[in-house]
Amino acid sequence: MYWLPYLTLFINLVIILVMPKNLTKQEIYISWCVIALINLSTDVVFSFYFKLYELAGPGVQLGVHMIELTLGASFGIIFLNFMPEKLRPFLLYAAAWSVISMIFELAFVKVHFLNYFTWKPWYSPPYYFGALLYMRWHLWFLRKPGS
């Protein structure tokens, strides 16, 4: 159950290590923390409060929290690093990343790391696209003069 998220995290970390950096160390650090916090908060609300899904079985689990604090943020750093600046290429890029995110989500369902209760798979693409739009704004805000 945990093997796929941890394998994915390992691959993402290797990509982050070897990719040409278009982000500063400060942008990576701040973005990692913000994405991890949003990911953890979202999962706590959707999973524990609304009971829409659960990650790796019922209850609080340290392994799940490690994945929540690292996997989404690692994807976010890769996304931000290669994100196009112009709007039209960005929209295509974000659409492709939404599809990739859905593929990973469905793979996590297949290996029983993610279990839907009342969550429907078609809820996810708009959520992912909104999150990617937020990340675009986030990087713009970090780079804005006077910030």
Side-chain angles (χ1 to χ4, degrees):
M1 159 181 348
Y2 284 93
W3 70 269
L4 183 57
Y6 281 114
L7 175 62
T8 305
L9 175 62
F10 175 77
I11 292 168
N12 284 358
L13 293 176
V14 169
I15 291 169
I16 290 169
L17 185 65
V18 301
M19 70 185 182
K21 305 295 188 289
N22 298 316
L23 301 170
T24 66
K25 290 178 184 174
Q26 291 85 357
E27 289 169 343
I28 292 171
Y29 175 78
I30 292 168
S31 297
W32 188 288
C33 292
V34 167
I35 295 165
L37 178 62
I38 290 171
N39 191 41
L40 182 61
S41 300
T42 301
D43 281 342
V44 165
V45 171
F46 287 172
S47 179
F48 290 123
Y49 185 74
F50 289 114
K51 305 214 183 305
L52 301 176
Y53 57 81
E54 71 180 7
L55 299 172
V60 176
Q61 300 169 46
L62 181 60
V64 170
H65 287 301
M66 294 306 296
I67 290 297
E68 288 179 305
L69 293 172
T70 57
L71 186 58
S74 69
F75 274 116
I77 298 305
I78 297 167
F79 171 83
L80 286 173
N81 190 70
F82 297 107
M83 181 179 70
E85 289 186 28
K86 295 190 181 204
L87 184 59
R88 184 171 294 200
F90 167 77
L91 292 174
L92 293 172
Y93 181 71
W97 270 86
S98 294
V99 170
I100 291 167
S101 299
M102 273 309 302
I103 291 168
F104 274 99
E105 179 177 317
L106 295 174
F108 290 161
V109 168
K110 185 79 172 161
V111 299
H112 304 289
F113 181 77
L114 172 61
N115 302 299
Y116 296 139
F117 294 143
T118 57
W119 186 267
K120 304 290 183 229
W122 61 271
Y123 297 169
S124 298
Y127 174 83
Y128 291 134
F129 197 79
L132 299 174
L133 286 173
Y134 168 79
M135 289 175 58
R136 180 177 172 89
W137 173 86
H138 164 80
L139 190 58
W140 169 83
F141 181 78
L142 287 178
R143 291 179 172 175
K144 185 176 83 166
S147 296

